[in-house]
Amino acid sequence: MKNESLISEEILEINNYNKTEHVLWDLFRTMFMLSACTFGGGFVIVSLMKKKFVEELGWLEEDEMLDITAMAQSCPGPLPINASVILGYRMKGILGSLVAVIGTSLPPLIIITAISYFYEEFRSNRVIATALQVMRAGVAAVIFDVVYNLASNIIKTKNRFYILLMIVTFIMNYFLGFSAMLIILTCLFLGICTVLLDLRKEHKARC
């Protein structure tokens, strides 16, 4: 009986190990492909991550992806790297974060290294310059898709405060030229105040 129990435990450990390896490989492969095919900055990869991890793989809920985007944007550093750290940790802890960051960092590292060797040729090549101009139109469309999806999620909450805050922050940034960091920190402060007020109301309701 003891031998059978030990064998069962060993089989379970092997299955868990294989499952972990499978998830880590999927995480690395997915982040590598997304990073390699992303042009136009951090918000473009957010849209691709949402479609991959929420709609296709089902690893995250839509609200979780929205939270990851907000946290990644609020922290110092490139948005894709920040998002990959949080996403990797959400999937498989510190090891998952490390794998996700490596997968995200490798494509731009390889591509930029290659371009640096041929910078003069790239700069003076009219074909490449035209291709980059055309790609900007596609990037703008993807960024618009990200904005639309994030705004839709806010509207779906039917929370008047969140909707009003979204409109006010847009006006502050686009029309009045307020710093994005100032807006993010202000929203962070308001979010903390909202949570504290909700906790206070819950406490009073229980008493």
Side-chain angles (χ1 to χ4, degrees), residues 38-49:
T38 299
F39 299 91
F43 283 106
V44 178
I45 200 173
V46 168
S47 176
L48 299 177
M49 287 171 67

Side-chain angles (χ1 to χ4, degrees), residues 115-130:
I115 290 175
S116 67
Y117 282 102
F118 307 100
Y119 175 71
E120 290 299 329
E121 287 78 2
F122 273 98
R123 189 179 67 171
S124 58
N125 191 305
R126 291 184 62 185
V127 175
I128 294 177
T130 303

Side-chain angles (χ1 to χ4, degrees), residues 14 26 29 98 106 158 164 168 185-186 192:
I14 291 171
D26 283 347
R29 180 170 54 85
L98 183 62
L106 275 179
K158 296 181 180 180
L164 178 62
V168 170
L185 292 175
T186 303
I192 293 172

Side-chain angles (χ1 to χ4, degrees), residues 11-78:
I11 292 173
L12 184 61
E13 288 179 1
I14 291 171
N15 289 335
N16 289 336
Y17 178 77
N18 290 335
K19 185 178 179 182
T20 299
E21 273 196 334
H22 178 69
V23 172
L24 289 175
W25 169 244
D26 283 347
L27 184 61
F28 173 82
R29 180 170 54 85
T30 303
M31 295 307 299
F32 186 92
M33 293 302 296
L34 290 178
S35 182
C37 299
T38 299
F39 299 91
F43 283 106
V44 178
I45 200 173
V46 168
S47 176
L48 299 177
M49 287 171 67
K50 175 181 175 295
K51 290 177 181 177
K52 190 68 179 178
F53 295 119
V54 177
E55 298 174 10
E56 293 183 24
L57 297 176
W59 287 358
L60 299 171
E61 296 293 331
E62 197 163 336
D63 289 343
E64 286 182 289
M65 191 66 233
L66 186 63
D67 291 339
I68 288 174
T69 304
M71 286 187 287
Q73 179 66 17
S74 302
C75 298

Side-chain angles (χ1 to χ4, degrees), residues 74-92:
S74 302
C75 298
L79 193 150
I81 297 295
N82 293 344
S84 64
V85 170
I86 301 170
L87 178 63
Y89 189 83
R90 165 70 174 75
M91 298 306 301
K92 284 294 175 182

